[in-house]
Amino acid sequence: MAVNPLDREVLTVFTLKKVFRGLFRRRRLRSVPINSIVFEAPPDLHPGDSGLMALAASISRDGLLNPLIVRKRGSTYQLVCGRRRLEAAKMCGLGRVPCYITGAGDAECAVIRLAENMHRREPDFLEIALGLRELVAEQGFSIEEAAVYTGLTTAQVTNKLRTLTLPMHILTAIRDSGLTERHALALLRISRDEVREAALCEMAYLDMGPE
């Protein structure tokens, strides 16, 4: 199906700044009740980790310095960016959080979510893969368009999407063990579940890449 995401403007990880500048012109900063913000997280994706605890401690000490991005949806707000910040703010018991309210469309929001994940200090390979799948499966991007919009090669996009053919419990175990996309691709070469899980345990124990 032909799509016209963001008017097909050629974007890379560098020129994505244009999208953010456009969103800034179209959004307002508001204090929003935290319980009115909704986000449909993929199954088995929960950010309960030491990094989240550190983020919660920072928010408790200094406040939420980086506002969330949300869209108004009836009586609630749909979270566009800032899931970890939202979870950390809830851990701190905050009743309201600063949010930018944007009128961005679905395709723009998908690109922005993916860009935020890619620009983290320690990118989450699984969330990046899920973000790419959202672009391709839900927003109608081709593999080539997804590559252009993210600054990746088509082979990189394809490999990231390939990792999602592994069971979700394997993917979350890879991520939670501090392993990487490279380990996920190596496990794809193993067809038997019990052998794959044993290999994953060995990788995690040795904390070393596959040969």
Side-chain angles (χ1 to χ4, degrees):
M1 180 180 66
V3 294
N4 188 27
L6 308 183
D7 296 325
R8 292 190 180 274
E9 179 184 5
V10 176
L11 300 176
T12 67
V13 289
F14 302 105
T15 59
L16 276 168
K17 293 179 181 178
K18 294 181 181 179
V19 180
F20 282 100
R21 285 198 294 268
L23 288 177
F24 270 106
R25 289 193 295 269
R26 287 179 289 159
R27 63 191 189 181
R28 302 162 293 157
L29 183 61
R30 295 285 187 273
S31 176
V32 172
I34 198 166
N35 290 333
S36 68
I37 302 173
V38 296
F39 179 76
E40 296 182 3
D44 298 326
L45 279 184
H46 44 81
D49 54 33
S50 59
L52 187 66
M53 298 293 290
L55 179 57
S58 173
I59 292 174
S60 179
R61 182 181 65 251
D62 304 320
L64 183 56
L65 302 179
N66 189 7
L68 312 178
I69 301 177
V70 298
R71 294 194 293 182
K72 192 76 169 69
R73 287 293 181 267
S75 60
T76 63
Y77 296 87
Q78 179 188 26
L79 184 68
V80 175
C81 280
R83 180 167 65 116
R84 291 175 64 83
R85 298 194 296 278
L86 176 62
E87 294 298 328
K90 288 180 178 179
M91 291 172 61
C92 295
L94 297 185
R96 304 180 72 90
V97 287
C99 295
Y100 286 115
I101 302 174
T102 179
D106 291 343
E108 282 180 307
C109 288
V111 172
I112 295 303
R113 277 192 295 270
L114 182 55
E116 183 182 55
N117 286 330
M118 292 179 68
H119 285 109
R120 286 180 184 169
R121 182 174 301 177
E122 296 180 1
D124 184 325
F125 85 90
L126 180 51
E127 290 198 6
I128 290 174
L130 289 168
L132 286 168
R133 184 171 70 182
E134 180 182 4
L135 290 185
V136 173
E138 298 180 24
Q139 301 304 328
F141 284 55
S142 66
I143 296 294
E144 292 75 15
E145 286 173 330
V148 169
Y149 274 64
T150 57
L152 300 171
T153 66
T154 55
Q156 287 172 323
V157 172
T158 299
N159 280 335
K160 291 179 188 301
L161 292 174
R162 284 181 60 221
T163 64
L164 297 179
T165 61
L166 288 170
M168 185 58 71
H169 75 278
I170 293 288
L171 289 168
T172 54
I174 293 171
R175 182 196 54 190
D176 294 345
S177 299
L179 302 177
T180 66
E181 175 188 310
R182 187 159 52 99
H183 298 87
L185 291 171
L187 291 175
L188 279 174
R189 297 198 292 265
I190 303 173
S191 57
R192 293 175 55 188
D193 289 342
E194 63 272 21
V195 178
R196 179 186 288 159
E197 292 183 5
L200 172 58
C201 289
E202 184 175 0
M203 288 177 181
Y205 178 74
L206 297 175
D207 192 20
M208 62 183 294
E211 296 294 334

